[in-house]
Amino acid sequence: MTNTANGEKGEPMELLLMVITCWLLLQLAFTIWNLSRMPKLGKPVQRQAWEQEYDFPDQVTACTDGDKPLLSVLIPARNEERNIRECLESISACRTDTMKLEILVMNDHSEDDTEAEIRQTMANDDRIRLFHGTTLPQGWMGKSYACHQLSLHARGEWWLFVDADVRLEPEALEAAMVTARSQRTGLISGFPRMETGTWLEHIVVPMMAFIIGYHLPIMMIRRSPRPVFLAVTGALLMIHRDSYKRSGGHAHIYNHIVEDMELARAVKQAGDPVTLADVHRHTSARMYRNAAEVWEGYKKNIFAGTGRNPLLVFGVSIFYALLFLLPLVMLIWSLVTAQPVLAAWAGAAVLIGMITKGIIDRFSGKSFWLGLLMPISAACLILILLDSWIASLNGKGYRWKGRTYG
């Protein structure tokens, strides 16, 4: 039997855990519905009333070779010796029955054998062209400048920016063009199926998909003109050449660390649509190879992703701690102190959180059982967020691929 002291302590905590459990159930229902609203790459999308009208027939005619439009694939590459060849080979192997293709690669002052890997691949595909980056101007972010330089050489109607660690399936480009042609303008993006190997990859990398599926009304990205409804990734970002120009391109957001989100925001502000699509069946990526890369990669972007808002950092940390850490702590404590009612509520909260993450992981092409790591994943996310905030406060900035960012 629960003693009086434990009972007095348990009742307020039971009430809190009941509220948390009910909230988690609502989030589970929202997540299932939300994921069902995500457009799929290769399927047409419908035009929204708020989008600007343009004279598309003339634009299409101006950039076609015969009756096939030209697609430009643009790849910024800095120290990508281990990735670039497989990336290029996967693009070269894509079906291109309905389009012409050019593949432009920017060697951004690589300090390894990136250029040699590119040249070996060029020998087998004359559609690949290699460019060398010029000196990084003051204030520019490295990737933004590499993408900007690539844009100066692109000749296609649509431009597909691809990171060197991305791999395309054979139908990927055809699927992308189906969606792009139905949208006619604007920007299309999607998070590749994330391959993970080391322990921190398994714990942290799937959390990006979790954050989007759990919080962001996905359908509003496409339906609303408001830039607050946005989620894209620079790993796979397809943009109409005229939308790129109307938005100002990378030159407009040259000094932003999270350049992909800023570009998408500029596209919406220009009156053009943005679509976040389910692309995991068509693309994959392994962004990081060890724990240090995972930590530094997320640390570089996560505070900037909050808009550099300390209040939001604090709020997110408390929110995730209450939803995903407190129930586990209380479950352990209630089992030790023999409080079955408290244990039941805490266990329910822990289980619902794990199931929700498992559903998002499965939707993203990962194992459902990764959901069991939810409390650990939430704890790591909080720690990385706080570390990113502290790095910004103390002026040390972020180190990535031999460059330091503020």
Side-chain angles (χ1 to χ4, degrees):
M1 181 179 293
T2 305
N3 60 41
T4 302
N6 282 342
E8 291 173 352
K9 294 178 181 177
E11 289 179 6
M13 187 56 66
E14 287 173 14
L15 179 60
L16 177 59
L17 287 171
M18 287 172 62
V19 172
I20 290 173
T21 301
C22 291
W23 179 267
L24 287 167
L25 279 172
L26 289 174
Q27 285 278 181
L28 173 58
F30 169 78
T31 298
I32 294 171
W33 171 84
N34 198 32
L35 294 177
S36 71
R37 301 294 92 191
M38 181 177 285
K40 296 185 182 299
L41 196 71
K43 301 293 184 181
V45 293
Q46 294 183 344
R47 186 180 179 278
Q48 302 299 310
W50 63 270
E51 296 170 22
Q52 298 283 348
E53 278 283 7
Y54 301 108
D55 189 5
F56 291 102
D58 288 344
Q59 292 179 0
V60 172
T61 302
C63 59
T64 56
D65 183 357
D67 59 349
K68 292 184 179 181
L70 176 65
L71 172 65
S72 301
V73 178
L74 313 178
I75 309 171
R78 177 173 171 82
N79 297 340
E80 293 290 357
E81 174 187 352
R82 69 187 181 190
N83 285 316
I84 190 64
R85 185 189 295 195
E86 286 187 26
C87 175
L88 289 170
E89 288 175 349
S90 74
I91 296 169
S92 293
C94 283
R95 283 186 53 207
T96 54
D97 298 340
T98 63
M99 71 189 81
K100 285 190 171 292
L101 179 68
E102 65 173 5
I103 306 168
L104 314 183
V105 189
M106 178 64 61
N107 180 21
D108 182 17
H109 303 278
S110 296
E111 299 161 333
D112 59 7
D113 287 334
T114 295
E115 181 179 348
E117 293 292 318
I118 296 170
R119 291 195 179 280
Q120 288 190 36
T121 314
M122 290 173 64
N124 300 316
D125 191 338
D126 59 10
R127 298 172 297 180
I128 301 173
R129 290 191 288 157
L130 172 63
F131 300 91
H132 296 279
T134 59
T135 302
L136 183 65
Q138 183 70 30
W140 277 77
M141 295 296 158
K143 183 177 179 182
S144 289
Y145 190 53
C147 291
H148 169 70
Q149 292 176 89
L150 284 167
S151 74
L152 301 177
H153 300 283
R155 300 173 297 177
E157 174 190 357
W158 284 89
W159 302 348
L160 178 60
F161 290 95
V162 177
D163 281 354
D165 50 24
V166 171
R167 309 289 179 264
L168 302 188
E169 298 297 327
E171 302 296 325
L173 296 182
E174 291 284 352
M177 284 299 286
V178 168
T179 303
R181 283 171 164 172
S182 69
Q183 183 167 298
R184 304 175 75 188
T185 189
L187 185 152
I188 300 163
S189 186
F191 288 83
R193 182 180 69 255
M194 293 300 176
E195 306 292 348
T196 53
T198 59
W199 63 274
L200 198 60
E201 289 178 82
H202 293 313
I203 292 170
V204 173
V205 170
M207 287 300 288
M208 182 58 69
F210 177 84
I211 291 169
I212 293 168
Y214 200 69
H215 297 292
L216 181 66
I218 291 171
M219 63 185 295
M220 297 303 291
I221 298 173
R222 185 73 179 83
R223 293 188 177 186
S224 173
R226 296 179 62 193
V228 68
F229 296 110
L230 273 180
V232 298
T233 173
L236 190 82
L237 192 152
M238 190 170 185
I239 187 169
H240 194 280
R241 64 175 186 178
D242 294 332
S243 293
Y244 187 86
K245 295 171 185 176
R246 281 190 291 268
S247 68
H250 288 91
H252 178 64
I253 46 96
Y254 68 96
N255 60 346
H256 290 272
I257 293 179
V258 189
E259 84 293 332
D260 44 12
M261 288 290 289
E262 293 300 327
L263 180 60
R265 186 171 289 111
V267 168
K268 269 201 172 185
Q269 289 172 339
D272 288 356
V274 174
T275 294
L276 179 70
D278 175 11
V279 305
H280 82 270
R281 293 176 179 84
H282 296 286
T283 66
S284 63
R286 187 171 181 187
M287 298 173 63
Y288 310 110
R289 300 286 174 153
N290 54 56
E293 288 186 4
V294 172
W295 195 276
E296 291 302 318
Y298 275 80
K299 176 181 173 181
K300 174 174 69 73
N301 294 323
I302 195 167
F303 180 55
T306 67
R308 297 181 178 272
N309 187 337
L311 290 178
L312 187 56
V313 171
F314 181 75
V316 168
S317 300
I318 296 298
F319 184 68
Y320 270 52
L322 283 174
L323 288 186
F324 305 117
L325 303 185
L326 179 65
L328 180 61
V329 172
M330 295 312 301
L331 175 60
I332 297 170
W333 185 74
S334 60
L335 292 174
V336 171
T337 58
Q339 297 189 68
V341 176
L342 192 63
W345 283 111
V350 171
L351 183 61
I352 295 168
M354 290 178 172
I355 289 173
T356 306
K357 183 174 182 297
I359 289 171
I360 296 173
D361 287 337
R362 188 69 189 92
F363 181 85
S364 304
K366 304 295 293 180
S367 169
F368 174 83
W369 300 108
L370 282 176
L372 296 174
L373 300 174
M374 183 62 218
I376 304 173
S377 297
C380 287
L381 193 70
I382 292 170
L383 292 174
I384 295 172
L385 177 56
L386 294 175
D387 191 23
S388 180
W389 177 32
I390 292 169
S392 178
L393 284 176
N394 61 26
K396 291 184 178 179
Y398 314 101
R399 188 76 177 166
W400 187 249
K401 292 190 177 181
R403 289 176 173 149
T404 300
Y405 300 95

